[in-house]
Amino acid sequence: MEKPVLVVMAAGMGSRYGGMKQIDPVGPSGQVIIDYSLYDARRAGFETVIFVIKHEIEDAFKAAIGDRVSKVMKVEYAFQQLEELPAGFAVPEGRAKPWGTCHAVLAAKHLIHGPFAVINADDYYGPEAFQVIYDYLSTHQDGEVYDYCMVSYLLKNTVSENGSVARGVCEANPDGTLAAVTERTCRERRRYLAGPGPGYPGEHEPVGLWPELFGGGGGPLCRLAVRESAQEPPEVRVLPALGGQRAAG
């Protein structure tokens, strides 16, 4: 079984942020957010990282991140180009922004030969997330169907003290597998003594780590509070989800 590899999506343009937040320092010694993720990923067992970037930022990205990381991990690069699409698709006239997550990971397909996890370059995940996903990927293989999974967090741990946020809320089946993900907007932190209800801490937020991709929403709810309770499920856990039939070969 191949060792799991880490795919880092870092090709975003940062249009809302106003710059390349992938390489902007945030730590006391100039660390960027991805430094923390790579440190935790390496300790969890990941030895190879694939950065999905654009040719336009290649030199700046390698100087700020890639060259340093290559001293402790095997580093490979995939390039997300707007015009590189599956057969039958074309770029709409006037589009300049990159496509979404699936297109970014598709750009790395030729470098992936086994289980893999996908993260964003500008999100913080914490060490436990990398450990649980690495352990899962190292011990589960595809059978007749693809064996997908995601890492989820307690919703109350992902909201901000400074306003509302949008989150994908996970629903689990009785056997612990993922049943659905529903986007909820305007989630904010409030303290309640009440029991289960909208925003109960049993709701889990997905973080976008997936082992396989190459196989086969709800409306807005504003000001839904995140309830706190003395009886809570694990703060970080894996939600398995079986995919479609495996492609021949």
Side-chain angles (χ1 to χ4, degrees):
M1 183 177 180
E2 295 279 344
K3 287 187 175 182
V5 301
L6 183 67
V7 178
V8 178
M9 299 185 296
M13 299 173 66
S15 55
R16 287 174 296 178
Y17 175 75
M20 289 178 56
K21 58 183 176 179
Q22 306 98 312
I23 62 176
D24 263 6
V26 296
S29 299
Q31 297 95 336
V32 295
I33 290 181
I34 191 60
D35 285 329
Y36 296 96
S37 291
L38 294 174
Y39 177 78
D40 293 335
R42 185 65 187 87
R43 288 199 301 169
F46 288 97
E47 298 177 356
T48 299
V49 57
I50 301 169
F51 291 114
V52 181
I53 61 175
K54 297 183 301 180
H55 285 294
E56 294 87 336
I57 67 170
E58 181 179 0
D59 292 341
F61 189 90
K62 287 182 176 179
I65 300 173
D67 292 345
R68 290 187 295 102
V69 176
S70 65
K71 298 176 182 178
V72 293
M73 299 179 74
K74 180 182 178 181
V75 174
E76 296 185 290
Y77 293 93
F79 297 94
Q80 185 180 7
Q81 298 301 116
L82 187 65
E83 67 280 0
E84 293 184 4
L85 297 171
F89 292 88
V91 180
E93 183 178 354
R95 184 179 180 94
K97 289 185 177 182
W99 303 99
T101 300
C102 287
H103 185 252
V105 180
L106 187 64
K109 181 178 180 179
H110 64 289
L111 298 173
I112 299 171
H113 309 289
F116 65 97
V118 183
I119 66 169
N120 294 311
D122 53 4
D123 285 331
Y124 177 77
Y125 298 94
E128 189 176 357
F130 289 100
Q131 194 61 67
V132 297
I133 194 67
Y134 185 86
D135 291 346
Y136 186 91
L137 296 178
S138 300
T139 54
H140 291 73
Q141 289 184 288
D142 292 327
E144 294 183 357
V145 296
Y146 286 105
D147 192 1
Y148 303 88
C149 76
M150 66 162 51
V151 170
S152 63
Y153 295 92
L154 279 178
L155 178 60
K156 77 179 187 68
N157 292 342
T158 72
V159 294
S160 172
E161 300 284 354
N162 303 295
S164 63
V165 295
R167 291 290 182 261
V169 177
C170 299
E171 212 178 301
N173 294 310
D175 63 358
T177 57
L178 180 66
V181 180
T182 304
E183 183 177 4
R184 304 290 191 189
T185 58
C186 301
R187 310 296 278 190
E188 66 177 6
R189 182 182 297 279
R190 294 180 186 174
R191 287 189 175 273
Y192 285 87
L193 296 178
Y200 181 59
E203 293 181 339
H204 271 246
E205 153 73 2
V207 298
L209 294 104
W210 301 84
E212 292 285 0
L213 189 65
F214 311 125
L221 297 174
C222 244
R223 302 302 176 196
L224 287 180
V226 175
R227 300 175 183 270
E228 297 190 359
S229 167
Q231 295 183 342
E232 298 181 352
E235 293 192 356
V236 179
R237 62 169 170 162
V238 167
L239 294 175
L242 296 180
Q245 290 292 118
R246 296 186 63 183

